[in-house]
Amino acid sequence: MSIRRRDVSRLSVGLLFAAPWIIGFFAITLYPSLASLYYSFTSFNTLQPPVWVGLQNFQQMFTSDPIFWTSVRNTLYFVAIGVPSTLILALSFALLLSQKRRFVGMYRALIYVPVVVPPVVTAIIWVWILNPENGLLNSGLAVLHVPQPGWLADPSWAKPALLIMSTWGFGQAMVIMLAGLQDVPEHLYEAAMIDGAGAVRRFWHVTLPMMSPVIFYTLVVNVIFSLQYFTQAFVAEGGGNNLGAPLNSTLLYSLYLYENAFSYFKMGYASAMAWILFLITVVATFLLFRFSRRFVYYEGGEQ
Amino acid sequence: MGQLRDRLMRRWTTARWTRRLGAGAAIALMVLSIQPGLGNVTHAKGATVNLVMWQQWGGGHEKKTLDKYIGLFNKSHPGIHVSEVAVTDNTKIVSAISGGKPPDLMDLGTTGTLGQWAHDGLLQPLDTYIHSSHINMGAFVPAGWHAVQYNGHYYGVPFMNFNVGLVYNKKLFRAAHITHPPRTLQELDTDAARLTVIKHGRIVRLGFVPDYPASNLEVFAWLFGGDWFKNNGRTSTAALSANIRALQWEQSFYQKYGRSSVKRFVAGFGQYLTAADGFESGKVAMMLDGEWNIAFVKENVKRFQIGAAPFPAPAGMTSRNGTSYIDTNPQVIPTGSPHAAQAFEFIKWETTNPALAAEYATLVVNLPQLKHVPQTSLFKDPNFRVFENEANGPNAHQLPQTAISSQFATNLGNAEEAAILGKSSARSALQNLQKMTQQEIASTH
């Protein structure tokens, strides 16, 4: 079969229109990714040519770099506590705000506002709020005669402080959940009510199963996002002067990667870390999908 | 035009491109915006060469002083026009240099990263310039040259040296009926206790915080007779028993006043070198910090009476009173600087003029980098003289420049933090530091 002339011209027009994406993809996505894969097997400080070192970066990461493991533990903690909190908050507020009440639109907007504010700004404001000596939160706790933690100044409270900062942006997940709630067919609720189901049973047996694809989607997105959490943690610790402070308690994976790349110029090591993070993300996502088959119900899909 | 073409050629070299794109790859996963360097805004305007200098001078009076002298240079050198930009973010500096768009010259503010940056090829060795321009190295305070030397080469020219000593709030001393600054470390401990105010279980003022405004463990170790390296930076001695004793002494403060209470109290301080910082706001009565505080206090707080004294050594070791480090503001030329020759002309003009050094030092309160300068009012100030005497004394120390300078600083800070927060003993924190440092040294060879 030969391609006719008209097809060729159509193809070239198509390619022309797709060119911005194609060029963008190859030049600033695919090429850098592959280059970083190559660098992960080298010792490279950005100025002198990379030197091939085989698996040494990976070996060092797993066998002789205790700070790497600190960053892995911090990140897993962050994902394990942060993602469920975000999902539960988002779902609860979505349920509340799906009620047809007065001002509900305003409440929805208010909860979404943190998502619109640039992350650097929210981080700086949170640093003020969380200031142990004269911050808003501790002043409030003092009035209530509740012990006031040191938050970002105390290694055992710094991670919870970071979690509060990140969970505050749950509006994004809530909006998606709200949309999902609108899609739960009304007739299922009616049928359940006729069968005598109360509000709680309707939630467990109608809302939750029908919402499961939406919850699953938010879960996956949030896990990936949390594994790469960077901006606010970076700003909260003074923008790079004191990464992971206090005592590496907030040194998340991406922060340590950054530190290696831009404070120590170990681009090879940082690239290797980036690929390990990529693998962790792939494996986590794969496991979530495997796990989801038992819990996620797709309407119209196979059982 | 020749220059412009050269620069274009350099920028378009394939090797550069590959490397530049590759460097971008490592950050592909991160939210990071690298602002385009300002180094490339130089245009060939007639015969004038525009130099961009990145500098790290702090408060208003420091920047004003720098601008004043840059203005003088520009007037007296019609072919060159220097302009300065405050760039304090090391990441920005590094990405600008590795991205091929560095400024023409930089004032790094400290030599803390110089060894590592020299090792990684971010800075140009200046030996040829120094020799061909006939700079009289002997006119400089030797410690300045030592601070900018890595692996046998000079990577900067010293400008405005600085060190640290005990600075204290005279009013608070009088209120606590303390008549003179402490002469031994034990006296400092008791003075600190007398200056401390705790009301209803909450700290209102602390006499002294060992790691405020910054980690000073390296100096405390020297004060106790320890050291951090031997064999010119090839062997770590972090776990020396004197170093451990110094760290244990720091720990004792945190034990006495409560680790989390002290940390909380310090977290409430405003930005360093402003009227809201711990010292200027009167929340900390003494600190181990630099002579520049004399200038900042004068700018920020009316009627603040600052005193300075040699930092006291433990009883029985009085010969170590006034132990300090000595560092400089290295004037450096980054790799790929568009006008290195003209940049060095400015550096030479700036660093070798005794009258300029004296005036500059007087305005920002730093130590002149030159041995003999006209004696201004500054040199009669008894506070300043404390620092001057220390700098010329036997207890002015320096860390050797190594390929792991900035990593060592991070790790030292972490070891100190772990110990004062009670997460590990002083001994094991420093043994761990020694092990890590030795590993890192090995990995750079």
Side-chain angles (χ1 to χ4, degrees), chain A residues 77 130 132 137-138 141 146-165 245-246 249-250, chain B residues 260 264 423:
Chain A
Y77 175 98
L130 292 169
L137 186 57
N138 274 5
L141 293 176
V146 174
Q148 301 126 51
W151 299 117
L152 289 165
D154 182 339
S156 39
W157 281 97
K159 266 195 283 282
L162 212 54
L163 281 171
I164 294 175
M165 289 169 65
S249 58
T250 58
Chain B
S260 54
R264 260 188 56 171
K423 303 281 171 190

Side-chain angles (χ1 to χ4, degrees), chain B residues 103-327:
Chain B
D104 297 284
L105 70 152
M106 299 189 290
D107 177 329
L108 289 182
T110 139
T111 61
T113 57
L114 188 128
Q116 185 149 359
W117 287 13
H119 176 81
D120 288 324
L122 293 169
L123 306 176
Q124 298 190 20
L126 302 180
D127 311 62
T128 333
Y129 290 113
I130 292 169
H131 294 301
S132 65
S133 68
H134 305 293
I135 283 189
N136 177 10
M137 294 177 74
F140 286 70
V141 176
W145 288 115
H146 190 253
V148 295
Q149 194 174 21
Y150 170 72
N151 209 11
H153 297 284
Y154 295 107
Y155 284 87
V157 180
F159 179 63
M160 293 296 117
N161 299 348
F162 54 88
N163 58 359
V164 290
L166 179 74
V167 292
Y168 64 97
N169 186 327
K170 281 186 174 171
K171 276 186 190 166
L172 297 180
F173 265 58
R174 272 200 300 275
H177 306 293
I178 304 172
T179 50
H180 58 84
R183 290 176 192 139
T184 64
L185 203 60
Q186 287 70 18
E187 241 180 87
L188 184 135
D189 289 349
T190 43
D191 285 352
R194 283 168 71 182
L195 290 157
T196 296
V197 180
I198 297 173
K199 267 187 196 148
H200 310 296
R202 288 193 73 132
I203 299 173
V204 180
R205 174 182 306 136
L206 282 172
F208 183 73
V209 182
D211 60 338
Y212 182 80
S215 165
N216 276 317
L217 179 55
E218 61 184 75
V219 179
F220 294 141
W222 290 321
L223 189 73
F224 278 77
D227 205 354
W228 296 101
F229 291 96
K230 59 182 183 190
N231 293 335
N232 201 18
R234 279 187 290 274
T235 311
S236 166
T237 58
L240 279 176
S241 64
N243 296 13
I244 296 171
R245 281 199 301 280
L247 186 50
Q248 281 164 343
W249 172 74
E250 281 198 42
Q251 281 179 312
S252 71
F253 270 89
Y254 279 84
Q255 279 153 4
K256 188 167 180 184
Y257 301 107
R259 294 181 183 112
S260 54
S261 313
V262 176
K263 280 284 164 199
R264 260 188 56 171
F265 182 62
V266 172
F269 295 169
Q271 206 193 330
Y272 174 54
L273 296 179
T274 66
D277 84 4
F279 183 65
E280 294 183 28
S281 65
K283 287 176 177 160
V284 175
M286 300 182 275
M287 54 180 192
L288 174 58
D289 208 36
E291 58 278 87
W292 56 86
N293 280 283
I294 300 171
F296 276 95
V297 160
K298 206 162 106 191
E299 287 282 315
N300 298 340
V301 191
K302 271 188 194 148
R303 297 203 187 88
F304 190 106
Q305 293 173 8
I306 188 172
F311 199 87
M317 303 169 95
T318 40
S319 64
R320 292 214 178 82
N321 277 354
T323 292
S324 176
Y325 64 75
I326 180 157
D327 197 7

Side-chain angles (χ1 to χ4, degrees), chain A residues 70 74 155 244-251, chain B residues 413-419 421-423:
Chain A
T70 308
N74 287 341
L247 259 190
N248 289 336
S249 58
T250 58
L251 189 72
Chain B
N414 279 334
E416 181 184 25
E417 188 87 350
L421 288 171
K423 303 281 171 190

Side-chain angles (χ1 to χ4, degrees), chain A residues 9-60:
Chain A
S9 89
R10 273 187 173 177
L11 178 70
S12 48
V13 170
L15 282 177
L16 187 71
F17 275 101
W21 181 86
I22 294 174
I23 294 168
F25 175 75
F26 280 96
I28 59 181
T29 305
L30 188 66
Y31 174 75
S33 305
L34 293 179
S36 83
L37 182 62
Y38 165 65
Y39 292 139
S40 70
F41 297 103
T42 65
S43 167
F44 180 41
N45 67 9
T46 73
L47 274 170
Q48 285 131 355
V51 179
W52 183 265
V53 293
L55 290 171
Q56 194 188 302
N57 289 328
F58 297 93
Q59 210 178 359
Q60 190 191 340

Side-chain angles (χ1 to χ4, degrees), chain A residues 32 46-47 131 258 262 265-266, chain B residues 19 25 91 98 120 122 267 407:
Chain A
T46 73
L47 274 170
N131 186 298
Y258 171 90
F262 296 102
F265 319 122
K266 294 179 176 171
Chain B
R19 265 185 261 158
T91 309
S98 57
D120 288 324
L122 293 169
Q407 250 170 311

Side-chain angles (χ1 to χ4, degrees), chain A residues 260-272:
Chain A
N260 272 302
F262 296 102
S263 301
Y264 309 148
F265 319 122
K266 294 179 176 171
M267 276 304 166
Y269 194 67
S271 299

